[in-house]
Amino acid sequence: MVRPATVAPLRRHRTRLAWAALAPALAAVAAVAGWPLLRTLSLAFTDARLATIETARWVGLENFAWTLSDPDWWRAVFNTLVFAVCSVSLELVLGLAFALLLNAGLRGQGALRAVALVPWAVPTVVAAQVWRWMYHDVHGVVNELLLGLGVIAQPVAWLADPALSLAAVILTDVWKATPFVTLLLLAGLQTIPAPVIAAARLDGAGPLDLLIRIILPLLRPAIVVAVLFRALDALRVFDLIYVMTSNSRATATVSIYTRQALIDFQDLGAGSAAAVLTFALIGMVAVAAVFALRPATGVAR
Amino acid sequence: MAAITLEGVSKRYGPVIALDEIDIAIPDRALTVVVGPSGCGKSTLLKVIAGLEEADSGQVAIGGERIDHLPPARRNVAMVFQAYALYPHMTAAENMAFPLRMAGLGRAAIATQVRAVAETLRIADLLDRKPAALSGGQQQRVAIGRALVRDPAATLLDEPLSNLDAQLRADMRAEIAGLQKQLGATMVLVTHDQIEAMTLAERIVVLNHGRVAQTGGPLDLYHRPANRFVAGFIGAPQMNFLDCRITALGADGIAVALAGDLTLTIPADPGAARVGVAATLGIRPEHLALGETSDPSLVCAVTRVERLGASAHITVDSAAGPLRVAIAGEPSLKEGESLALGLAPARCHLFDADGIALASRTL
Amino acid sequence: MRRRRLARIGLYLGAGAFLAFTLFPVYWAAVSSLESGAALFTIDYWPRDPAWENYSDVFADQPFGRNIANSVIVATLTVGLSLALAAGAGFALGRVSFRGRRLMLAVVLATTMFPQVAVLAGMFELIRGLGLYNNLAGLALSYLLFTLPFTVWVVTTFMRQVPAEIEAAALIDGAPPWRVVWSILLPLVRPGLVTAGLLAFIGAWNEFLFALTFTLTDAARTVPVAIALISGASQYELPWGRIMAASVIVTLPIVALAAVFQRRIATGLAAGAIKG
């Protein structure tokens, strides 16, 4: 060995190694998340347009004032919240039902689980197009089925009717995301030890008691996580709505509104203000959910 | 092969002191066992020697050369872990070849050395198997092979036998001792099991609370424990301890009085002992004699008899306190029966209030 | 006994409903993709007269082959970049305890909740500044926003599960740190890398917003954008048969991947979520 015999103390050496290994990922996070977010923040206080970023002037809170006084913005906030609350609760209820079903020891469970992955794996754009076709007012299979069953008397323009379009989009999201919730809850169910269930049965718990008093409390961490993940996704929904109903005010969400301002209207200032507000909305929900999550997983950590 | 010396080595984890000013000299080409209860710092000691942990202070040297500033890779020390720590994605041969590959040996040299070690360990037919396809004992051999293959200055074994079942443990114990002799290797084995220590070691280092409680050969520790901790830790069943008071110091030893009006004169050098202070008398269960003898005796009532076949353990109550007695054969004693128990003064150990042995002298 | 049998029947009915709900839209897309002309506009639950022309038209009327190649390139680039970065980060966060470790993990994971639109303007600038506008590499770079948090998390979780003794053994055996990572840790966390890589591939393959915003020309588009923008002779007459054919084409490989690796993906999703 010709190297000098002294090296840095082991622990410090290892710490330096860790930082070196971590640095590229941190740099990437800074580049694709940190910096763009800071840019968005600073642009929100300027009159920048897509073509004139360099000459942008500071305008203070003007963009925020403008956005917050825009009825379209509030419509988008309303749509986003309705979309998130409805789709996530439906997904949770259906997902729980399907998870219990898949955990019930049916034959062909593996196949069912594989099937559950299909809607999750289908690209959102594809899901949007397929459902858009199924919702078609003249040739759509949804109208055909409902007419055949006598639920509706005449064809319905699901996506064109402002009263129905949001519900139609929500149903599509439910189709696409329920499997994800199902798989998370199924994983949670499978961590409940069988003896616990057996003990509850011996103690005389009926199926409903079992569900409410044993399974749901034990499933709480999985439920909270599923809701958190789904809520985050639902609050920033874009693809589905962009493809299914494009510019309809009846379904525009905050993400749609923001991109429209940024790209279609080329108004970087107002768009960035909307982006900041969107981020704040989602951040608040995430922080609330993380706090709700804490006590449940505190022990597991 | 080389001797290992530790001087003034200390290591703390936050408020916990794992090693407290340790001085140990581990001899060359011998099997040294470091033994102590869990949490005594014995694993930390191995990690400090191996370079996996850094001592806060003190020096570690192998073969007279300081190594405490070197990374593990450059200390030429091999280690066998409790859970073997075989690389699960490599075959037995690849596992054993890994240290040689790291040392930059050629393909042919690696193959020859791996084969040689595998034959010594009788695992030549298992070389193509991955760890998951090997039994615990086989994995153990591969782990030992991986350590020995590069002919290290010293081999450290961290509780290597505790994951094996009782029968296999006894076999492996003999095998490790045999290997060490055959190769003339310097080995340091850490265990919490005093029987393992007694049967394996040429030298035993007893650790307690991060300090060396005593160092010596197995029988040294058995016959001349330096303190109450070693006296209680070495030997099974455990030594009996009775409270007593020093009543006189004379040329023939130290006279002590036990509860129940029993006085003994223990043949020990009075040294620093003082009359009137409290002390602890220790006597091993196998050194108590049933029935009247010429020695001072205690009247006892049998509370429990455990018959093991070749021997029996008897628990008794006496005025001086409860005692355990170990005798050979199958006694015809019943619970509740009363008997006399002889305490041979020459078999007794005496510890001062701090637990330090008052120069006991066992015959 | 009768009650149990009834319950059993109920369960199978539920499973049937689940299957129908989950699979019907996919089935319907496949049926529609095989119909053209007037057949498309009459409801048939089985394609009476399968026509494959939609499939050939997709490739004839637009550079769909090119779009598929683009998607493959972007997804592969994304997976490669994400895994390379996550391998280092996973080692640091999963195997070394250093001051700031938890904070760094939190920073990486926090990007999970970043809405894509919130970084759209800055990302646009970044990509244009790097000269990567309308470029596949630019897309792959932007996709790190959503692939890094979960790849880092999955790899970190797997790294943590490797016993400390194995790494110690490698160090004692003389392996330098990079060698410990490369020869010992990475092979041992391979299942994690595969899972994370699959999720990253699927995420990149399906991404729409960035692909829509950061590409301009047909030749640089990925399939989701191409499918969203397929148009017909007039604005009101969309070529549904072709759209369904294109949908089937891009969905098949991804569903096949999901089916083959379903156990991995399911546990990956669960591990990412439950332990988080």
Side-chain angles (χ1 to χ4, degrees), chain B residues 73 76-79 85-87 90-106 110 113-114 117 142-152, chain C residues 169-176 179 184:
Chain B
N76 195 20
V77 164
M79 191 155 168
L86 294 178
Y87 310 126
M90 298 184 190
T91 63
E94 287 165 345
N95 262 283
M96 292 193 279
F98 190 73
L100 300 178
R101 262 170 60 205
M102 292 302 110
L105 258 70
I110 291 177
Q113 290 195 32
V114 167
V117 167
V142 176
I144 294 174
R146 185 175 65 182
L148 296 179
V149 72
R150 62 187 169 124
D151 193 20
Chain C
L171 284 174
I172 289 177
D173 281 348
R179 194 67 199 254
I184 306 295

Side-chain angles (χ1 to χ4, degrees), chain C:
Chain C
M1 241 21 244
R2 257 192 59 168
R3 265 191 64 178
R4 280 190 63 177
R5 177 168 299 177
L6 275 177
R8 203 96 199 128
I9 291 170
L11 280 180
Y12 277 104
L13 281 177
F18 174 71
L19 274 178
F21 176 64
T22 308
L23 288 184
F24 180 77
V26 179
Y27 173 75
W28 192 246
V31 168
S32 302
S33 73
L34 292 173
E35 296 175 331
S36 62
L40 193 57
F41 299 129
T42 55
I43 305 288
D44 289 315
Y45 292 99
W46 182 253
R48 256 180 245 160
D49 188 15
W52 295 94
E53 61 201 60
N54 287 326
Y55 286 87
S56 47
D57 287 353
V58 170
F59 291 94
D61 295 358
Q62 67 232 22
F64 199 64
R66 179 66 191 267
N67 298 145
I68 291 177
N70 287 344
S71 274
V72 171
I73 292 167
V74 169
T76 309
L77 263 177
T78 307
V79 170
L81 263 175
S82 309
L83 290 187
L85 294 170
F91 164 73
L93 299 172
R95 299 225 56 94
V96 186
S97 61
F98 57 96
R99 200 183 287 263
R101 187 179 65 91
R102 290 178 73 95
L103 177 70
M104 289 305 117
L105 186 59
V107 164
V108 175
L109 292 186
T111 50
T112 300
M113 62 171 217
F114 274 43
Q116 283 176 283
V117 288
V119 297
L120 203 58
M123 191 80 88
F124 191 84
E125 259 192 299
L126 177 75
I127 282 177
R128 222 168 43 172
L130 294 172
L132 295 176
Y133 181 68
N134 202 32
N135 182 314
L136 300 178
L139 274 191
L141 178 69
S142 70
Y143 289 177
L144 293 178
L145 173 71
F146 58 86
T147 60
L148 265 187
F150 70 80
T151 45
V152 167
W153 176 250
V154 171
V155 176
T156 300
T157 312
F158 275 79
M159 283 274 186
R160 262 185 208 153
Q161 288 162 358
V162 178
E165 287 191 339
I166 295 221
E167 203 186 332
L171 284 174
I172 289 177
D173 281 348
W178 68 268
R179 194 67 199 254
V180 176
V181 174
W182 184 255
S183 297
I184 306 295
L185 292 174
L186 285 183
L188 290 181
V189 301
R190 228 184 62 145
L193 293 174
V194 172
T195 304
L198 274 170
L199 295 179
F201 189 92
I202 293 174
W205 182 268
N206 293 356
E207 202 283 336
F208 177 64
L209 175 53
F210 284 168
L212 177 71
T213 312
F214 302 146
T215 58
L216 190 66
T217 57
D218 261 351
R221 277 181 189 144
T222 56
V223 279
V225 182
I227 288 178
L229 300 183
I230 287 178
S231 54
S234 81
Q235 197 187 338
Y236 302 99
E237 241 177 281
L238 286 172
W240 285 111
R242 264 199 287 143
I243 293 176
M244 290 304 114
S247 297
V248 170
I249 292 169
V250 306
T251 305
L252 272 184
I254 217 77
V255 166
L257 260 186
V260 170
F261 292 103
Q262 59 131 322
R263 207 158 275 280
R264 279 250 159 97
I265 292 174
T267 51
L269 289 177
I274 302 291
K275 287 176 190 156

Side-chain angles (χ1 to χ4, degrees), chain B residues 16-17 31 34 151 191 197 235 264 279:
Chain B
V16 181
I17 300 174
L31 177 55
V34 178
D151 193 20
T191 179
L264 286 172

Side-chain angles (χ1 to χ4, degrees), chain B residues 325-340:
Chain B
V325 186
I327 57 166
E330 300 170 35
S332 55
L333 287 168
K334 279 201 292 286
E335 283 167 20
E337 199 172 314
S338 94
L339 51 77

